Amino acid sequence: DAGVIQSPRHEVTEMGQEVTLRCKPISGHNSLFWYRQTMMRGLELLIYFNNNVPIDDSGMPEDRFSAKMPNASFSTLKIQPSEPRDSAVYFCASSSGGEVGQGYTFGSGTRLTVV
Amino acid sequence: AQTVTQSQPEMSVQEAETVTLSCTYDTSESDYYLFWYKQPPSRQMILVIRQEAYKQQNATENRFSVNFQKAAKSFSLKISDSQLGDAAMYFCAYYISGTYKYIFGTGTRLKVLA
């Protein structure tokens, strides 16, 4: 298995532009998580999907952020419009729903820089 | 509130020596799991070791072991025979059984000196 795959690895964009981050979870994992990592706040859970359904999006900072999971093998996190304070590393992680206590498998993250 | 505290922002260890990273957590739950994740410069978060709260025996994975003190809510990571490849950020995390959310600490940067 190739693990959790995120793209792009790096993204540099100008303030006000739309940004879309992509994630392919591990096949068979039915729980998917988007995290944001910054120096100031550490790792923050943005949104959690179970069986493609958003269960908890209370961590999504603003309406500018949206996430979708149209099928079991793909999820996107969109920021529109982007702002410099959105600069961070965004991680996607997946787990088997009944085994969340086994630990997540993380992707390699997308480093987003908004200038 | 559930919190995870890593009081050491940075630690250094000589190659082949042993180092211990500390972690404390706060919870009123009885059924939970604790984890240590490693984040090397490649950015990938890698699960190092896992401990179930109901198990008294400390988890061990090769050179990595934990000292789990449930009453003290302490969960330290010991790395024996440190190697250059151990240099990374280490995050302690806590998960309550039946939920989905992990709570992460702020991390400890480990430097390994040749």
Side-chain angles (χ1 to χ4, degrees):
Chain A
D1 197 325
V4 177
I5 299 172
Q6 289 188 247
S7 64
R9 184 158 173 79
H10 304 278
E11 176 81 34
V12 180
T13 190
E14 291 187 347
M15 182 173 63
Q17 296 298 305
E18 176 180 297
V19 176
T20 299
L21 311 181
R22 297 173 177 79
C23 175
K24 177 177 166 47
I26 288 175
S27 177
H29 281 189
N30 60 349
S31 295
L32 184 138
F33 309 81
W34 282 99
Y35 276 83
R36 178 170 68 176
Q37 185 181 35
T38 61
M39 288 291 293
M40 292 296 294
R41 295 153 102 130
L43 276 155
E44 304 173 277
L45 177 64
L46 299 178
I47 188 167
Y48 158 59
F49 290 89
N50 184 248
N51 292 324
N52 313 338
V53 177
I55 304 299
D56 182 356
D57 65 356
S58 60
M60 297 285 263
E62 299 169 34
D63 291 345
R64 298 183 297 106
F65 285 69
S66 63
K68 293 182 180 179
M69 192 165 186
N71 57 62
S73 58
F74 185 65
S75 176
T76 59
L77 178 67
K78 184 181 292 186
I79 308 173
Q80 164 64 20
S82 57
E83 297 183 3
R85 61 194 166 118
D86 301 331
S87 297
V89 178
Y90 291 82
F91 285 101
C92 176
S94 71
S95 74
S96 177
E99 300 174 1
V100 181
Q102 299 297 321
Y104 294 155
T105 301
F106 281 85
S108 298
T110 295
R111 180 178 295 281
L112 174 65
T113 304
V114 184
V115 297
Chain B
Q2 291 128 16
T3 58
V4 176
T5 301
Q6 294 179 249
S7 58
Q8 307 150 315
E10 190 170 293
M11 294 280 285
S12 295
V13 62
Q14 206 69 35
E15 197 175 5
E17 297 293 307
T18 295
V19 65
T20 299
L21 309 184
S22 65
C23 172
T24 59
Y25 58 94
D26 187 17
T27 183
S28 57
E29 301 291 333
S30 59
D31 189 7
Y32 54 90
Y33 299 80
L34 296 160
F35 304 85
W36 280 97
Y37 279 87
K38 171 185 177 181
Q39 186 179 39
S42 66
R43 221 164 56 205
Q44 181 85 45
M45 293 281 283
I46 302 164
L47 178 62
V48 174
I49 200 165
R50 170 180 172 272
Q51 173 85 41
E52 293 121 320
Y54 65 85
K55 286 189 176 177
Q56 294 193 348
Q57 186 172 3
N58 289 324
T60 299
E61 289 287 340
N62 301 313
R63 298 182 294 107
F64 298 86
S65 62
V66 299
N67 183 5
F68 175 44
Q69 302 286 329
K70 190 171 183 178
K73 297 180 181 174
S74 170
F75 182 62
S76 60
L77 175 70
K78 185 171 86 171
I79 307 174
S80 304
D81 185 25
S82 297
Q83 300 174 0
L84 295 177
D86 295 334
M89 282 289 285
Y90 287 81
F91 291 92
C92 180
Y94 158 87
Y95 165 74
I96 299 173
S97 184
T99 70
Y100 54 84
K101 197 179 286 192
Y102 283 58
I103 308 296
F104 286 88
T106 51
T108 295
R109 181 173 301 282
L110 178 66
K111 295 184 177 181
V112 181
L113 308 174

